[in-house]
Amino acid sequence: MEEIRISVRNLVEFLMRSGDIDQRRGKGFEKDAMQMGSRLHRKIQKQMGEQYRAEVPLKMIWKKEDYQICIEGRADGIFEENGKSVIDEIKGVYRKLEEISYPIPVHLAQAKCYAYFYSIQCGKKQDMTVQMTYCDLETEEIKRFQESFSFFDLEEWFGGLMGQYERWAEFLVSWKTTRKESIKKLVFPFPYREGQKDLAAAVYRTILRKKKLFIQAPTGVGKTISAVFPAVKAVGEDLGDTIFYLTAKTITRTVAEEAFSILRDQGLRFKTVTLTAKEKLCVCEEALCDPVNCPRAKGHYDRVNDAVFSFLMERDCYPREEILRHAKKWEVCPFEFSLDLAVWVDGVICDYNYVFDPRASLKRFFGEGQKGSHLFLIDEAHNLVERGREMYSASLCKEDVLEAKKLVKPYDKALERKLEKCNKTMLAMKRECDGYEILENPGDLPIAVLELQEGLEKFLEESGLSLSASQGKERENDAEKRSEGIRERVLEFYFQTQTFLDVCDRLDENYVIYTQLEADGRFWIKLYCVNPAENLNHYLEKGNSTILFSGTFLPIQYYKSLLSTASDDYAIYAKSPFDTQKRLLLIGKDTTSRYTQRGERQYRKIAEYIKKISSQKKGNYLVFFPSYQMMGDVMPYFEQISSDEIEVICQTSQMSEEKREIFLESFEVDREKSLVGFCIIGGIFGEGIDLKAERLIGAIIVGTGLPQVGTEREILRQYYEKQGKDGFFFAYLCPGMNRVQQAAGRVIRTVEDTGVIALLDERFCMASHQSMFPREWEGFQICTLENVEEKVKNFWKNIS
């Protein structure tokens, strides 16, 4: 018999939500005590005496003819009073308790579920009492509500609740049968390329054994379909239930959508949703989520469940444009709508942060206590190292504390004092800092920030910013606008403190804590996650298996150490089907981008290289520079010697999405002139762009891609050197060579492509760099400015 599992909390929150999306009401500031006040939560339980049983697991099996639903959860407490069993549900809030005159319906529903389950579990089918315990997390004041229910009332109420859920359960059971039948008939949609069948088999075996697999997958091996196909087959064998296809860039999300579409053309029935950032989906000019500023926020929760159900019945693929269309039809927020849809589909295509970021992860899948049969397919996984470091690091600036103090001073003296206490704590740290200082621990600051955050939450919850009567009614409108602006700035600061405290809870040997005094006088304390593996695996362990793949996963042990904590992960190097005779790989040994050697001589030489390479065949070329400064230094020399037959375009800093598209659209086939695009290595055009065939026939890479020397790079170097490892290798060389390989990979996108790749730096001749070359780079040629023209000319002659 098919079984559906759901938690009590998710069940009641899903079925009982109603009304508006309204972030002005302090959404997110009322927290379950288990999350924000676990210490106080335990304190209340201990105060209840020995006869009080805390954290009692309860579950109920709701049986139907073809399936059953397992609903489970954990009651905060159970005790006996006046001959009746009492279910105690504890909720911590940051609001005045006198404002709560009756239990919040969703909270009461959760407790009633536990009461019904316990009554049946005891075999007595007895009347029950439900106690709602609300606790002010700032003052520790407690307010309780008690209500008794007969067993008949609880049974009738819960039956009505499950009656609402049954249409969803029946959909899941019916759809799973349809899905499984379609997967049985599914075959690989293309003739296997050399090594591709072995790759797909390795993915399936890894899922079967519930392991992780790292795949070095050169361009052209078909890594996306080779990962998606066996993962889908594994779902059909009940080895997983939901596939999460995780990417760092929009372009790779499109590739994933295409892979599932190809399988649907073969008869696959598999529902997938693509999640898009709120700012890109919002239909308003500004993403202000409240019924005043957004008409769709009004009554959103009254309509969204029906909107989701009708969409599930309508189609199997839910890309951005379809989500916008259906959200408009039902007048719901497209972003929140897409998140709700994700719960019911088979595959979720999304950015890394929807799984790994503690502040953005999908709580219904990855919240505390949640675990599922998820399969993670992580594309371009080399990006996850730096993204992971960003997600699990935090910082706090003393000047931001002072600004917040200034903002709240007219409205909340108690909060002003807490901000001043925090400021003084940071001032003492600043006096000990000379440039930057590595600390053993953050000292007393987390305590000061915790006290501060409680005040901020109360301030934001009340959020009236009441103004004195002396201001007069004629100033009310201006004052209201000013007050809202203050609230938004305080809210932004609140999130900074919340992140800081969250990361404080994670601090371990994978972190370096340091303070930094910047040239402009701003003082920071930073909690820097050097190795994100432990934090990433906290989320990966909520699934069954993980497949990580990239075209630039070398050296593989470097990435294993930063993305996994296991010692028995698998790794394979996929065989490239590409004919290396179609690609010319050159190393210019007589030039360098070393900072100490930069000057007119090197700039002229680099410009000459670009001209000689791009002049041998009309077409489109990309030149990657280590910085905007060097790009600007070389540009005038190139313009002096380039002919009218070459057009030059340049990447600029902070390009808008529209300007990026215009830049890429310039790379047309059959142009009248050759096109040379100047851009930055490691930037937006350094990876993730797909200029196939004649759209790009050459890439010239200036320098070795080393990250700029900075505080955190030096901290990384020192961190690894303390472990007896090569700090330069981990902090600079590995990320630098990854950038180089990514930039070079822009040229060869398919097995039919041809092109020239030139690495312009003498350091590429060193064994330390060549040891990190991928296998496909065997057969590279050393060149100089004197013979590069001849080598390129001969290559194109032989190709033609």
Side-chain angles (χ1 to χ4, degrees):
M1 178 178 286
E2 188 71 41
E3 182 176 85
I4 298 167
R5 304 179 74 89
I6 188 171
S7 71
V8 169
R9 183 168 185 165
N10 285 349
L11 177 72
V12 299
E13 287 183 351
F14 170 64
L15 293 175
M16 298 191 64
R17 58 188 179 173
S18 62
D20 308 335
I21 300 174
D22 195 349
Q23 292 184 353
R24 299 172 309 164
R25 295 179 182 173
K27 183 180 178 182
F29 304 122
E30 181 178 285
K31 304 288 184 180
D32 189 302
M34 285 295 288
Q35 293 176 306
M36 291 298 292
S38 57
R39 178 193 58 81
L40 190 55
H41 193 111
R42 291 190 295 270
K43 182 177 178 181
I44 293 170
Q45 291 171 328
K46 288 179 181 178
Q47 289 173 344
M48 296 299 292
E50 292 183 3
Q51 49 86 39
Y52 186 93
R53 289 180 290 151
E55 304 301 326
V56 180
L58 296 168
K59 74 175 181 178
M60 166 78 178
I61 303 296
W62 185 264
K63 293 189 175 182
K64 303 297 291 183
E65 184 176 347
D66 300 323
Y67 64 91
Q68 63 184 29
I69 306 171
C70 176
I71 311 103
E72 53 194 340
R74 193 177 291 269
D76 291 332
I78 301 177
F79 63 97
E80 300 297 320
E81 184 178 80
N82 300 325
K84 283 186 179 181
S85 296
V86 181
I87 301 294
D88 191 20
E89 184 66 20
I90 304 170
K91 299 293 179 183
V93 295
Y94 285 110
R95 61 164 61 176
K96 294 176 181 177
L97 294 183
E98 56 263 31
E99 295 177 358
I100 303 176
S101 57
Y102 187 77
I104 295 167
V106 172
H107 297 167
L108 182 60
Q110 197 174 339
K112 287 171 72 175
C113 286
Y114 293 139
Y116 180 56
F117 295 177
Y118 184 72
S119 182
I120 292 176
Q121 192 167 300
C122 291
K124 299 177 182 178
K125 297 187 176 181
Q126 60 188 3
D127 294 352
M128 297 288 296
T129 297
V130 166
Q131 176 173 283
M132 289 302 309
T133 300
Y134 286 100
C135 178
D136 185 322
L137 291 174
E138 186 174 19
T139 66
E140 299 192 9
E141 181 185 355
I142 290 174
K143 186 173 186 178
R144 291 186 171 95
F145 300 90
Q146 277 198 0
E147 190 171 355
S148 295
F149 299 92
S150 69
F151 176 80
F152 174 79
D153 288 340
L154 289 172
E155 184 176 50
E156 185 176 43
W157 172 83
F158 187 75
L161 192 71
M162 294 307 295
Q164 296 177 55
Y165 189 70
E166 280 176 10
R167 69 163 177 166
W168 298 90
E170 288 165 4
F171 156 73
L172 285 176
V173 173
S174 172
W175 174 252
K176 192 168 183 179
T177 301
T178 301
R179 182 184 72 185
K180 183 175 284 191
E181 288 300 315
S182 74
I183 293 173
K184 282 181 182 178
K185 302 172 186 175
L186 193 66
V187 296
F188 196 75
F190 307 109
Y192 282 110
R193 297 171 185 169
E194 185 180 2
Q196 194 173 29
K197 189 172 185 179
D198 292 338
L199 176 57
V203 171
Y204 184 87
R205 282 195 303 270
T206 302
I207 294 171
L208 178 65
R209 297 169 185 172
K210 297 187 176 182
K211 299 284 188 179
K212 295 191 198 76
L213 173 64
F214 287 76
I215 304 173
Q216 163 66 16
T219 301
V221 302
K223 65 179 184 296
T224 304
I225 196 69
S226 299
V228 169
F229 174 75
V232 168
K233 294 295 279 186
V235 169
E237 297 294 332
D238 295 325
L239 300 177
D241 195 48
T242 306
I243 295 173
F244 282 87
Y245 193 102
L246 309 178
T247 76
K249 299 182 184 294
T250 303
I251 184 70
T252 42
R253 290 197 279 280
T254 304
V255 172
E257 289 176 339
E258 290 171 354
F260 283 107
S261 178
I262 288 167
L263 295 180
R264 287 193 189 96
D265 291 342
Q266 304 288 318
L268 175 67
R269 300 297 307 278
F270 203 85
K271 294 183 182 292
T272 59
V273 63
T274 302
L275 299 183
T276 306
K278 179 191 288 188
E279 291 73 23
K280 292 183 178 180
L281 280 180
C282 185
V283 295
C284 301
E285 289 185 8
E286 190 176 357
L288 297 173
C289 303
D290 61 69
V292 173
N293 292 288
C294 176
R296 295 196 189 180
K298 183 73 174 175
H300 166 90
Y301 291 116
D302 299 327
R303 302 182 294 273
V304 71
N305 283 3
D306 287 337
V308 169
F309 196 83
S310 74
F311 210 21
L312 290 171
M313 298 299 106
E314 179 183 308
R315 57 188 296 120
D316 292 353
C317 178
Y318 311 103
R320 173 180 173 175
E321 57 274 12
E322 288 298 325
I323 288 170
L324 287 169
R325 178 187 64 80
H326 205 73
K328 182 180 180 180
K329 175 182 175 182
W330 284 85
E331 285 296 304
V332 293
C333 167
F335 177 70
E336 294 291 337
F337 174 55
S338 69
L339 297 185
D340 283 333
L341 196 62
V343 177
W344 304 99
V345 300
D346 313 301
V348 181
I349 302 168
C350 61
D351 188 86
Y352 298 154
N353 65 333
Y354 289 101
V355 173
F356 299 115
D357 191 328
R359 296 163 292 282
S361 64
L362 302 172
K363 297 299 185 288
R364 292 167 215 180
F365 293 101
F366 308 112
E368 287 303 316
Q370 299 289 339
K371 194 178 189 312
S373 300
H374 315 311
L375 305 179
F376 299 108
L377 307 182
I378 307 179
D379 198 358
E380 300 297 341
H382 63 277
N383 286 301
L384 192 52
V385 173
E386 287 303 325
R387 285 286 297 277
R389 285 172 174 154
E390 291 171 11
M391 286 187 281
Y392 303 118
S393 296
S395 61
L396 198 61
C397 180
K398 180 180 177 296
E399 284 63 38
D400 290 344
V401 176
L402 288 173
E403 183 187 9
K405 176 186 170 184
K406 182 179 178 181
L407 291 171
V408 305
K409 184 176 181 179
Y411 311 103
D412 192 328
K413 294 298 181 183
L415 179 55
E416 181 194 6
R417 288 191 294 271
K418 290 179 178 179
L419 283 158
E420 178 56 24
K421 180 180 178 181
C422 186
N423 175 58
K424 286 182 176 178
T425 303
M426 294 189 75
L427 180 61
M429 302 173 85
K430 180 179 179 180
R431 288 171 177 155
E432 299 294 321
C433 180
D434 182 17
Y436 81 91
E437 190 81 20
I438 293 178
L439 309 177
E440 288 293 323
N441 57 66
D444 295 332
L445 185 60
I447 297 172
V449 175
L450 180 62
E451 294 175 358
L452 170 60
Q453 194 183 41
E454 292 172 353
L456 289 168
E457 288 181 337
K458 187 175 180 180
F459 178 86
L460 291 163
E461 177 69 24
E462 296 172 354
S463 70
L465 301 185
S466 54
L467 302 162
S468 64
S470 62
Q471 288 179 300
K473 288 186 178 181
E474 69 276 5
R475 298 178 61 190
E476 281 185 1
N477 289 337
D478 288 341
E480 185 177 341
K481 290 178 182 178
R482 185 167 62 252
S483 298
E484 186 59 31
I486 290 171
R487 186 186 185 282
E488 290 303 312
R489 289 158 70 185
V490 173
L491 178 62
E492 184 179 347
F493 177 70
Y494 163 79
F495 286 133
Q496 291 176 30
T497 63
Q498 187 179 56
T499 300
F500 186 83
L501 289 175
D502 287 346
V503 173
C504 281
D505 289 339
R506 297 174 182 271
L507 292 176
D508 58 17
E509 67 278 5
N510 297 304
Y511 280 82
V512 172
I513 305 164
Y514 71 98
T515 55
Q516 184 172 21
L517 182 59
E518 295 183 342
D520 61 2
R522 289 174 68 82
F523 176 75
W524 295 83
I525 179 169
K526 300 190 178 185
L527 314 176
Y528 182 38
C529 181
V530 176
N531 187 340
E534 193 75 42
N535 288 315
L536 293 170
N537 277 267
H538 170 76
Y539 293 94
L540 293 179
E541 287 171 358
K542 294 178 180 290
N544 281 0
S545 181
T546 302
I547 312 299
L548 305 100
F549 45 99
S550 170
T552 55
F553 236 170
L554 301 175
I556 200 72
Q557 292 302 327
Y558 165 80
Y559 289 101
K560 276 188 170 185
S561 70
L562 291 168
L563 298 176
S564 177
T565 57
S567 59
D568 58 350
D569 295 331
Y570 303 147
I572 60 172
Y573 197 126
K575 185 176 177 61
S576 173
F578 182 74
D579 181 0
T580 56
Q581 298 301 312
K582 293 182 177 181
R583 182 221 62 220
L584 176 64
L585 178 60
L586 298 172
I587 297 176
K589 71 173 186 177
D590 55 347
T591 187
T592 184
S593 66
R594 290 181 192 269
Y595 192 79
T596 55
Q597 296 185 39
R598 293 183 187 180
E600 181 178 346
R601 179 172 173 271
Q602 289 296 336
Y603 299 152
R604 285 189 182 278
K605 189 175 288 188
I606 291 167
E608 285 282 355
Y609 261 111
I610 298 168
K611 177 180 181 293
K612 289 186 176 185
I613 293 170
S614 61
S615 298
Q616 303 313 305
K617 180 178 171 65
K618 188 176 74 172
N620 301 325
Y621 299 82
L622 280 173
V623 183
F624 295 94
F625 291 91
S627 66
Y628 285 104
Q629 176 67 48
M630 191 170 187
M631 182 173 75
D633 290 336
V634 172
M635 172 64 78
Y637 296 104
F638 181 70
E639 289 177 335
Q640 287 174 17
I641 60 175
S642 64
S643 66
D644 294 336
E645 298 301 312
I646 297 177
E647 179 185 346
V648 180
I649 58 174
C650 291
Q651 176 183 342
T652 57
S653 62
Q654 299 179 335
M655 290 180 83
S656 66
E657 194 166 335
E658 181 183 1
K659 288 182 178 178
R660 296 179 196 180
E661 291 175 2
I662 292 171
F663 184 93
L664 292 175
E665 286 169 1
S666 301
F667 290 79
E668 302 170 340
V669 178
D670 298 326
R671 291 175 55 89
E672 291 184 7
K673 298 181 179 181
S674 285
L675 177 71
V676 176
F678 278 30
C679 48
I680 305 301
I681 194 166
I684 52 177
F685 303 118
E687 66 175 285
I689 63 170
D690 205 21
L691 301 173
K692 296 178 181 177
E694 295 297 313
R695 291 193 67 193
L696 186 69
I697 63 170
I700 301 165
I701 300 159
V702 179
T704 55
L706 299 182
Q708 288 188 348
V709 175
T711 301
E712 291 191 349
R713 282 291 140 191
E714 284 300 288
I715 286 173
L716 278 176
R717 182 181 60 79
Q718 295 167 19
Y719 174 86
Y720 284 107
E721 286 176 353
K722 286 180 180 179
Q723 296 181 356
K725 298 177 181 177
D726 185 344
F728 179 80
F729 176 83
F730 280 93
Y732 293 98
L733 188 56
C734 282
M737 285 302 296
N738 186 280
R739 291 176 176 181
V740 170
Q741 292 173 46
Q742 281 291 331
R746 296 316 94 208
V747 179
I748 307 301
R749 307 305 301 163
T750 70
V751 292
E752 290 82 21
D753 287 357
T754 58
V756 176
I757 300 167
L759 311 178
L760 302 186
D761 200 295
E762 61 184 7
R763 286 172 286 183
F764 288 115
C765 296
M766 298 167 61
S768 58
H769 288 67
Q770 291 185 11
S771 66
M772 300 178 68
F773 284 7
R775 293 174 188 171
E776 305 79 58
W777 284 14
E778 292 178 2
F780 62 83
Q781 298 181 37
I782 305 293
C783 71
T784 64
L785 191 58
E786 283 67 38
N787 63 15
V788 66
E789 193 169 13
E790 180 184 358
K791 287 180 179 290
V792 176
K793 185 182 296 183
N794 289 338
F795 168 75
W796 288 119
K797 181 179 178 181
N798 294 333
I799 287 294
S800 59

